[in-house]
Amino acid sequence: MKTYAAYQAMVEEALPRQLASLGSIPEPLHQAMAYSLEAGGKRLRPVLLLAACDMAGGSLEEAMPFACALEMIHTYSLIHDDLPAMDNDDLRRGRPTNHKVFGEAMAILAGDGLLSAAGELMLSAAVRMDDQRGVRAAEAILRRAGVTGMVAGQTMDVTGEGSEPTIEKVSYIHLHKTADLLTAPIEAGLLLAGASGEQVRAGTEFGQRLGLAFQMVDDVLDVQGDMAVLGKTTGKDAEQGKLTWVSVRELDGAREDARAQVALAVKALNQLDMDTNFLKTLAQSTLERVQ
């Protein structure tokens, strides 16, 4: 297993190369896509995919197109989230949001382009394999990013604004809008490594618990976080009437529930006969994050 920084560096080096591998993209579109894709960030999702694959004895070279595709999907979702019709944000990763630089039309196309590019990268990699591992990994990622996954959560997030918050509503939003895209890399990474169904199920539970804790902490940071450190606007959730964990459990309750979810995430990893220390440490660090 490598360090987080090592996996992150691998992703940073591979992203522009993977984007270029798709061929000649019209320059305005390429510029808008690259602006958001190469803006830095934690690269949490591709790091999770590489780490899960590595942990199970898989090939990082085979996994890299899927890791980069996942970051493209995450980035497309951020570009579209920031649009005036959605969350209407001016700042992302410490820089002006995509539509503020390139205009709304090009921002929409940049998001569309990144989502399409992700599918193309994964399927191109999958057809080069002599078994079904790549197809299964691509299906897991696209399913968790799609209409029963992330997009479902985003839909309930948007349509629920201003409504009475309940645990059931917020749980659904968090499980899909955030946790699905943190479960996808674990599931896909294990599938690429040829893990058993039981191992994939344990990894999936870990991802879901981690994702819930991550969003609970995110909800707390929107209230108490430092905008300069976060690199995005704070206080937006309350201003827009968002359904958050803080809105149903208040700050102390959200922190308590995040700790409980991390404990359950670690417990899920104990089912795996692998070196899971990397993922356990990462889960614990979720409770301490400031961005």
Side-chain angles (χ1 to χ4, degrees):
M1 297 291 291
K2 302 181 183 298
T3 64
Y4 191 103
Y7 289 123
Q8 187 177 20
M10 291 173 64
V11 173
E12 293 292 354
E13 187 276 330
L15 276 170
R17 179 165 43 83
Q18 292 288 337
L19 186 60
S21 74
L22 296 169
S24 180
I25 302 170
E27 187 49 40
L29 177 61
H30 182 273
Q31 189 177 2
M33 291 167 67
Y35 174 82
S36 293
L37 184 63
E38 297 171 13
K42 297 180 289 292
R43 307 303 192 196
L44 174 59
R45 290 150 191 84
V47 166
L48 281 172
L49 191 150
L50 294 177
C53 184
D54 204 7
M55 177 180 74
S59 163
L60 294 183
E61 182 179 355
E62 280 188 338
M64 187 58 74
F66 298 86
C68 290
L70 192 52
E71 186 66 9
M72 289 179 181
I73 291 171
H74 176 55
T75 302
Y76 116 76
S77 75
L78 299 181
I79 293 173
H80 284 188
D81 272 353
D82 290 337
L83 288 167
M86 297 282 280
D87 288 347
N88 194 23
D89 266 314
D90 297 337
L91 194 67
R92 173 69 68 178
R93 290 173 174 168
R95 304 199 302 173
T97 46
N98 196 288
H99 68 275
K100 286 293 181 180
V101 178
F102 300 99
E104 289 183 42
M106 192 53 63
I108 292 170
L109 290 171
D112 294 345
L114 287 166
L115 177 58
S116 300
E120 186 176 343
L121 278 177
M122 289 191 290
L123 292 177
S124 293
V127 298
R128 293 194 295 270
M129 298 180 182
D130 57 5
D131 54 26
Q132 294 295 307
R133 288 175 299 120
V135 173
R136 294 178 67 197
E139 186 277 333
I141 290 172
L142 292 172
R143 169 170 38 84
R144 292 194 179 277
V147 294
T148 61
M150 180 184 70
V151 177
Q154 289 173 318
T155 299
M156 298 307 294
D157 181 44
V158 170
T159 59
E161 288 180 9
S163 67
E164 183 68 25
T166 66
I167 289 288
E168 291 74 24
K169 290 180 186 176
V170 179
S171 294
Y172 183 93
I173 292 169
H174 284 15
L175 187 61
H176 295 294
K177 182 181 179 183
T178 302
D180 265 333
L181 219 60
L182 287 170
T183 305
I186 304 296
E187 185 176 2
L190 291 173
L191 287 169
L192 286 166
S196 69
E198 185 177 342
Q199 290 170 329
V200 172
R201 282 190 291 274
T204 296
E205 183 181 352
F206 166 80
Q208 290 173 333
R209 300 294 187 181
L210 174 69
L212 288 171
F214 187 92
Q215 187 58 53
M216 289 169 184
V217 173
D218 211 56
D219 289 351
V220 171
L221 289 174
D222 187 75
V223 177
Q224 293 191 326
D226 184 336
M227 187 169 73
V229 176
L230 286 168
K232 61 181 180 179
T233 308
T234 55
K236 296 282 289 186
D237 290 344
E239 179 184 321
Q240 296 178 339
K242 291 285 189 182
L243 301 180
T244 69
W245 212 258
V246 173
S247 70
V248 291
R249 290 280 287 143
E250 300 186 343
L251 286 168
D252 288 344
R255 293 191 193 95
E256 178 185 340
D257 291 345
R259 287 192 293 270
Q261 289 298 325
V262 166
L264 289 169
V266 170
K267 183 178 179 181
L269 289 176
N270 290 333
Q271 302 172 55
L272 295 173
D273 185 20
M274 303 174 186
D275 180 1
T276 59
N277 285 331
F278 179 93
L279 294 182
K280 287 179 179 177
T281 300
L282 190 150
Q284 294 290 349
S285 70
T286 298
L287 299 173
E288 311 300 328
R289 71 186 186 91
V290 295
Q291 66 179 125

